[in-house]
Amino acid sequence: MKDFSEDYDPDAVLRQIGVKIELLGDYEGLEMETGDIISLELTESLDITGETFPSRSLRLKAIDSLGLSFASQTADYSGVQFEVLIGINGEYISVGKYYIDEIETEDLGLTVTIEASDQVKTRMDKHMTGLYTSSAISMSTLINYPSGALTGLDLYCDEDTLSAMVYPDMLTTVDSQRDCLLKLSQAAGMASIWVDREETVHMERIAGRTGYSATISPSEILEYSSLKLGSHTDYVEVTGENADGTTFDSTSGTYTVGCLAEFLENDFVFSGFAMIVATNYLESKNQRFGLTLKTRCNPALEPGDRVLVLKPDGSETGEFTLTSQTIHFDEDGLYSRLELCAPSPTDG
């Protein structure tokens, strides 16, 4: 979770809202401000189950004050990186860095629509790479001697992930950086993997955490949804083969005819660590309770944060993990839609 100053009050009834788009790299110094922006939709998320590696995305419609509609070979904005900042009462905070994927112009160049995404989509899906170790290795050792898919990355792992043993051998098989990192995070105990707003790659075990860093109060909540209950996963099975020919088949839970079972195949999993991977996989699949909220945007909140949600009467709904946030800025003002999950409706 990002920090504002001590006098920042997300509950304030009157908020002066500002949005800035600042171009980076060769175009540093160019920016769009609140008056230029017609609408903005920014989505950031993580997968608490560890099954996928999501990318952040952004759609922006603005008055074309920078002349993006008339880009030429000497001023080509495609692929340019920019940063989005949101301000409350004059205090701005970054909500992410993005790369321009596509520019569409309308109204004879008066307005421009920009589709953008983070490095997961723009860089990691297109750069072909691999990982190689000759034997099982701890994550703490691996990230201190990066090669292949880890090269050039700013990495953050929690203690559980750092202590995990993995066997990332891709000497004969080449894959995208995104897929390599996803397989590695799964092998390290089904850690969730995502890229934060400062482009640091996180691998962290999110399921099972307790405590919270922020409270979402009734004054912040514009719409409540009902609490949703997903299916219970009864059994998981993790299989694979290490480069030395060792195969493994580890399970967690109880298998019965007709039960809900999940299966994961990952050759990066070290055979001696496979049981822990299976146990963690079962726990993460049973983050079954979901809550959707429409809130008055607090840009300090990020996916992975633990929050306490209060009911309209001020009593506690429970503690949840924020897994997805879509920030909207349009004629209705600044607001967010939050997706939250927990293993029980009163977690914590």
Side-chain angles (χ1 to χ4, degrees):
M1 179 174 177
K2 298 287 185 180
D3 292 324
F4 271 110
S5 62
E6 293 182 0
D7 57 355
Y8 170 74
D9 182 8
D11 293 335
V13 176
L14 297 176
R15 301 193 301 174
Q16 182 182 1
I17 297 167
V19 178
K20 291 182 181 179
I21 307 295
E22 296 183 350
L23 275 62
L24 305 175
D26 293 340
Y27 298 94
E28 189 170 356
L30 297 178
E31 66 178 44
M32 297 179 183
E33 297 188 347
T34 309
D36 299 315
I37 299 169
I38 299 169
S39 65
L40 178 147
E41 181 178 298
L42 180 159
T43 300
E44 51 188 358
S45 62
L46 59 82
D47 185 347
I48 200 166
T49 70
E51 293 175 316
T52 62
F53 186 178
S55 173
R56 287 182 291 118
S57 64
L58 180 142
R59 180 179 176 84
L60 168 71
K61 185 172 183 179
I63 297 170
D64 192 9
S65 59
L66 298 180
L68 304 183
S69 309
F70 305 102
S72 65
Q73 292 299 316
T74 58
D76 186 359
Y77 293 95
S78 298
V80 170
Q81 189 182 35
F82 63 90
E83 186 170 16
V84 182
L85 300 102
I86 292 178
I88 306 294
N89 297 331
E91 190 166 353
Y92 281 84
I93 190 168
S94 172
V95 290
K97 296 178 180 178
Y98 294 83
Y99 296 87
I100 296 176
D101 294 323
E102 183 177 281
I103 299 174
E104 180 181 348
T105 60
E106 301 170 347
D107 306 321
L108 296 177
L110 293 177
T111 61
V112 62
T113 299
I114 296 174
E115 300 279 355
S117 54
D118 68 1
Q119 70 190 71
V120 178
K121 177 181 176 182
T122 58
R123 299 293 189 268
M124 293 181 179
D125 264 355
K126 298 175 182 178
H127 177 57
M128 304 302 286
T129 186
L131 282 166
Y132 173 72
T133 61
S134 59
S135 61
I137 187 173
S138 71
M139 280 290 292
S140 59
T141 301
L142 184 64
I143 67 174
N144 284 325
Y145 299 95
S147 63
L150 297 179
T151 301
L153 295 180
D154 183 12
L155 287 159
Y156 175 82
C157 300
D158 60 9
E159 290 300 322
D160 288 343
T161 307
L162 284 174
S163 63
M165 296 295 293
V166 296
Y167 203 146
D169 192 319
M170 293 193 70
L171 187 61
T172 58
T173 303
V174 180
D175 206 339
S176 70
Q177 187 178 34
R178 183 178 190 171
D179 285 347
C180 286
L181 292 172
L182 174 59
K183 291 173 184 175
L184 183 62
S185 64
Q186 292 174 348
M190 296 307 295
S192 295
I193 179 169
W194 72 99
V195 175
D196 70 14
R197 295 168 176 177
E198 299 301 321
E199 301 190 296
T200 297
V201 179
H202 288 249
M203 295 183 187
E204 300 183 52
R205 275 279 299 148
I206 301 297
R209 289 183 174 177
T210 58
Y212 58 92
S213 58
T215 299
I216 301 180
S217 64
S219 64
E220 295 176 80
I221 299 172
L222 304 176
E223 293 178 9
Y224 286 86
S225 77
S226 58
L227 197 64
K228 304 168 189 174
L229 174 61
S231 300
H232 186 276
T233 299
D234 304 292
Y235 172 88
V236 301
E237 185 172 332
V238 177
T239 60
E241 180 178 0
N242 294 152
D244 60 6
T246 302
T247 61
F248 53 89
D249 183 347
S250 292
T251 65
S252 184
T254 303
Y255 179 82
T256 58
V257 176
C259 76
L260 183 59
E262 298 286 347
F263 302 89
L264 178 75
E265 181 178 357
N266 187 328
D267 294 338
F268 280 13
V269 175
F270 171 49
S271 58
F273 197 72
M275 179 57 73
I276 295 176
V277 174
T279 301
N280 290 348
Y281 189 29
L282 182 64
E283 181 184 26
S284 67
K285 290 296 293 185
N286 283 313
Q287 301 287 311
R288 303 170 57 208
F289 291 86
L291 183 66
T292 302
L293 301 175
K294 180 180 178 181
T295 66
R296 301 167 66 245
C297 177
N298 177 358
L301 288 178
E302 300 178 87
D305 287 342
R306 296 272 301 168
V307 298
L308 174 66
V309 179
L310 302 182
K311 298 177 182 178
D313 62 4
S315 62
E316 296 183 2
T317 298
E319 294 177 19
F320 294 82
T321 300
L322 174 58
T323 57
S324 180
Q325 173 172 231
T326 301
I327 297 174
H328 298 265
F329 178 71
D330 53 29
E331 68 273 7
D332 294 326
L334 179 68
Y335 62 96
S336 296
R337 290 197 181 275
L338 309 181
E339 298 290 337
L340 307 139
C341 74
S344 72
T346 56
D347 181 31

